[in-house]
Structure formats: C-alpha cells, structure tokens
C-alpha cells in the first residue's frame, strides 16, 4: 500500500533527483540498523529477527521510489522509517533521541501530564498506511516557517499538497536524521492533535531533544513546521 501527496511539478513523495551517488537501499539498511541498535525490537516485545521481518518489506518500496529521491541534506531527507506507538511508546522512544554529535538523551516536557500524550492522535485525512511501520517520504524540518503562526504554517503546508508530521514521525526524524534538529531550527508536529489549541513540537533543551507543545496561535522565531510529501507502506 502506498499513499502520496505532492506539490506541482514533482513526483509524489519526492524532490527532483539531484542526489548523484545516493543509495536508497543502503540508507534503508542504515536506518534499520539504527533502530535495532537502539533497542526498538525490545520496546516492541519482539526479537531482532521478528522486528526486521516486520520492517523489511518497506525496503522494496524504497527501491521502487529510489530513482525519484534526492540525497539527504541537513534539513531534508528522502524517507524515514516510522514505528507506530503501538509498537514503541512515545514516552520510551523520545529518550532514545540525541542531537547530532551529542550524547544527551531526549526528554518529554513536564507540561504533558500523565496519560496526556495518548490523547494526541493523527488528524483526520492524513492517509497513514495500515500497519505498525511505514515510510515518511520527503521529510522537511520546515525552517522557513520559523516565526510563523503554527496554524498559518499548517494551512500553507496543506496548500502545497504536503502534510505536517505526527509525533512518531517527528521522533523518527530526530532519531534517524539527528542533524535536522538544530539551534533556532526546531519544528512543530501539526499532524498529532488532541482537540485543543496545542501543537506538539520538538526543540532543544539542555543539549538534548525535548518533546513539548506550543499554542497554535503563538509564533516562535526558533520553531518551524515540519512537513512531508507523502507516506508509503509495503509494496503491493
């Protein structure tokens, strides 16, 4: 199953292929190895072999889309492996994140009271592929939206045929592409909401990632709006 969103003049879920020498298969393997090394199978209550078997079918999707993919940059990456909270709870995956070149473990902001994160669910119409793992395509940290009201940023993102990220997708971004989270270039995750005006976000606190939230009507000069060009499941 594959779902895509794309802007005018681009193939679904990807940018123009300007990444000479980029190997999507090798990047997939790197991301999977990273999840294994961080202990994701244990979080999911599975062996490494079982977890790998669950994720591995997405590799065929990556290879099929490979010719349309551009090489990663600091702010953007062609795809990310995303593990749903039903396998790996948010409260346990955030502490596995770090900043690029730093050792400090990520934290969940104290302004999420006990049980609050469970209330933040994917917004309607997001088109998430079925299953506990999926690919996020053409992920961008959205630094152009630093200083923009989050609600307005989300409207602009939607107008481009893109979508904001869920909590799990934002965590995958920092876990697998940690240089995306940088000083004054942090990002909101507008696709996980709980029915109020709060918008989840990832920023830097004491040298480590922090999962917090900000009001949808309050702009911050250091906080953009991450977005994606599409999502995909295993090749059919």
């Amino acid at each position: 199953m594959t779902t895509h969103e794309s802007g005018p003049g681009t193939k679904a879920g990807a940018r123009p292929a300007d990444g000479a020498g980029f190997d999507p298969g090798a990047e997939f393997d790197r991301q999977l190895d990273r999840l294994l090394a961080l202990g994701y199978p244990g979080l999911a209550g599975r062996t490494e072999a079982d977890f790998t078997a669950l994720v591995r079918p997405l590799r065929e999707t990556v290879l099929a889309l490979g010719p349309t993919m551009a090489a990663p940059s600091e702010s953007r990456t062609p795809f990310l492996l995303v593990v749903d909270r039903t396998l790996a709870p948010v409260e346990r995956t955030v502490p596995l994140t770090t900043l690029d070149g730093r050792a400090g473990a990520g934290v969940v902001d104290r302004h999420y009271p006990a049980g609050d994160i469970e209330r933040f669910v994917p917004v309607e119409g997001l088109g998430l592929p079925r299953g506990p793992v999926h690919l996020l395509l053409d992920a961008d940290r959205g630094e152009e939206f630093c200083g923009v009201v989050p609600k307005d940023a989300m409207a602009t993102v939607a107008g481009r045929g893109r979508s904001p990220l869920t909590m799990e997708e934002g965590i995958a971004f920092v876990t697998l592409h940690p240089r995306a989270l940088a000083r004054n270039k942090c990002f909101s995750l507008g696709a996980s909401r709980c029915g109020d005006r709060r918008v989840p976000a990832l920023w830097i606190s004491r040298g480590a990632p922090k999962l917090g939230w900000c009001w949808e009507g309050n702009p911050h000069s250091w906080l953009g709006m991450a977005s994606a060009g599409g999502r995909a499941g295993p090749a059919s």
Side-chain angles (χ1 to χ4, degrees):
M1 175 182 177
T2 304
T3 61
H4 298 297
E5 302 162 4
S6 61
T10 64
K11 291 186 178 182
R15 292 179 290 155
D18 57 6
F22 172 59
D23 185 338
E27 173 61 11
F28 180 95
D29 296 341
R30 183 196 70 80
Q31 292 189 21
L32 176 55
D33 287 346
R34 176 68 173 158
L35 295 178
L36 294 177
L38 288 173
Y40 268 67
L43 294 183
R46 299 174 182 243
T47 65
E48 283 198 5
D50 288 342
F51 184 84
T52 298
L54 178 68
V55 176
R56 197 72 177 177
L58 293 171
R59 196 176 194 273
E60 294 303 314
T61 303
V62 166
L63 295 179
L65 294 171
T68 71
M69 290 181 175
S73 66
E74 180 177 287
S75 62
R76 202 158 185 160
T77 188
F79 68 88
L80 293 164
L81 288 172
V82 181
V83 181
D84 188 76
R85 68 181 67 181
T86 57
L87 279 185
V90 168
E91 295 90 341
R92 298 187 67 185
T93 55
V94 170
L96 300 178
T97 63
T98 58
L99 300 179
D100 189 31
R102 304 288 291 271
V107 297
V108 176
D109 191 271
R110 62 184 177 83
H111 289 104
Y112 285 109
D116 198 32
I117 284 179
E118 297 174 6
R119 299 176 55 220
F120 286 82
V121 297
V123 297
E124 291 185 12
L126 199 59
L128 286 175
R130 294 181 180 178
V133 293
H134 70 271
L135 293 171
L136 185 72
L137 303 174
D138 190 21
D140 187 290
R141 69 184 175 194
E143 62 197 77
E144 67 178 286
F145 296 110
C146 288
V148 177
V149 172
K151 189 173 183 179
D152 294 342
M154 286 186 281
T156 299
V157 164
R160 295 175 179 173
R162 295 174 62 84
S163 68
L165 273 54
T166 65
M167 279 186 175
E168 290 96 321
E169 290 168 345
I171 293 167
F173 207 167
V174 178
T175 300
L176 301 172
H177 193 66
R179 57 181 173 152
L181 190 65
R183 183 179 178 185
N184 295 324
K185 296 177 182 178
C186 305
F187 45 85
S188 294
L189 308 170
S192 288
R193 304 296 298 273
C194 68
D196 59 20
R197 296 187 299 109
R198 292 180 294 168
V199 180
L202 282 162
W203 63 75
I204 297 170
S205 176
R206 298 184 179 180
K210 174 177 277 192
L211 176 67
W213 56 261
C214 293
W215 301 115
E216 66 179 13
N218 290 0
H220 296 279
S221 62
W222 43 269
L223 193 61
M225 179 65 63
S227 69
R231 296 166 174 84
S236 56

